Amino acid sequence: AQSVTQLGSHVSVSEGALVLLRCNYSSSVPPYLFWYVQYPNQGLQLLLKYTTGATLVKGINGFEAEFKKSETSFHLTKPSAHMSDAAEYFCAVSDRGRDDKIIFGKGTRLHILP
Amino acid sequence: DSGVTQTPKHLITATGQRVTLRCSPRSGDLSVYWYQQSLDQGLQFLIHYYNGEERAKGNILERFSAQQFPDLHSELNLSSLELGDSALYFCASSGGRGAGAFYNEQFFGPGTRLTVL
């Protein structure tokens, strides 16, 4: 069965510092991997996704993530945090089968310190 | 604005009641997905419809049902409501079709907040 683990339900970084949000997955088949962001009182918005090809994926708002099969990880990074990045971030995995479903992690709330 | 609309925004009801949540997908999107977000369960996929047909089921209770109509809007019906059903219910749409649809970007609506008293 697929699963997603996000390490740290809350992460705090200073404005201008590196953002690193961790995501590990388990899947019996090569997965599709996603990062979504949820701003307060809003729905989710896709940041980036990995399907096939290049393992370093660039997304919106300066975020990127690297698919590492050997580590079963898909960590999200941004070189320099901005106050507007404060939000909840969800990693998600989906298999490629006929009955594919999407499994979300519990989420990581990112706090940006001035 | 994602282009996905959900009504109502808020719903307060009592245990044992039945409610219907409505979702209108983005223009041209054939796939509709329903999700439940609660503090204890997190964000859970409930069900996926493509062009009127059910395509995938997640952790959807038997008390819950959904359908997608010919005009592509979708409704999620929740019956015999319990306190634990209180949550945010999101609808998302995408242009994806059938199997493998999840690799397509899903656009989320603003959600319906359901409170069961």
Side-chain angles (χ1 to χ4, degrees):
Chain A
Q2 295 170 294
S3 66
V4 176
T5 302
Q6 291 184 242
L7 199 61
S9 57
H10 293 265
V11 169
S12 295
V13 301
S14 298
E15 192 174 17
L18 171 72
V19 174
L20 170 60
L21 304 182
R22 298 178 189 274
C23 172
N24 288 88
Y25 70 91
S26 71
S27 177
S28 57
V29 298
Y32 295 134
L33 295 161
F34 310 83
W35 275 100
Y36 280 84
V37 60
Q38 185 179 27
Y39 297 103
N41 301 314
Q42 293 186 28
L44 278 70
Q45 180 184 6
L46 181 68
L47 272 179
L48 50 80
K49 65 183 179 186
Y50 169 79
T51 54
T52 58
T55 55
L56 182 62
V57 181
K58 293 188 186 299
I60 61 172
N61 301 339
F63 284 94
E64 60 183 38
E66 187 170 10
F67 169 58
K68 290 188 176 181
K69 186 178 176 182
S70 60
E71 298 177 9
T72 60
S73 69
F74 191 57
H75 301 331
L76 181 71
T77 61
K78 181 174 180 178
S80 177
H82 192 273
M83 296 299 291
S84 61
D85 294 327
E88 187 141 24
Y89 293 80
F90 294 90
C91 181
V93 62
S94 174
D95 70 26
R96 299 163 187 245
R98 174 79 176 102
D99 299 321
D100 56 0
K101 305 174 181 58
I102 190 166
I103 308 296
F104 284 89
K106 296 282 189 187
T108 297
R109 185 165 295 279
L110 178 63
H111 305 271
I112 310 296
L113 307 173
Chain B
D1 184 356
S2 66
V4 178
T5 59
Q6 290 186 248
T7 56
K9 285 189 79 171
H10 301 276
L11 198 49
I12 301 174
T13 188
T15 55
Q17 295 298 304
R18 173 189 170 93
V19 297
T20 297
L21 312 184
R22 183 188 169 102
C23 168
S24 293
R26 291 188 321 154
S27 176
D29 282 355
L30 300 179
S31 277
V32 169
Y33 312 81
W34 285 98
Y35 296 88
Q36 179 195 58
Q37 186 178 34
S38 62
L39 279 175
D40 53 343
Q41 299 286 336
L43 189 62
Q44 293 202 82
F45 163 68
L46 296 178
I47 199 162
H48 167 212
Y49 274 84
Y50 170 75
N51 202 21
E53 288 187 16
E54 181 186 305
R55 286 293 183 166
K57 259 185 175 177
N59 298 321
I60 188 166
L61 300 171
E62 285 193 13
R63 300 184 286 109
F64 296 0
S65 65
Q67 53 184 327
Q68 186 179 25
F69 295 87
D71 68 352
L72 300 177
H73 91 271
S74 178
E75 292 181 356
L76 179 67
N77 299 295
L78 315 176
S79 61
S80 303
L81 285 168
E82 302 175 359
L83 295 177
D85 298 328
S86 296
L88 255 177
Y89 291 84
F90 286 107
C91 162
S93 76
S94 81
R97 49 182 298 173
F102 283 109
Y103 68 85
N104 290 310
E105 178 174 358
Q106 296 182 29
F107 294 85
F108 281 73
T112 292
R113 183 170 293 281
L114 174 66
T115 302
V116 182
L117 301 175

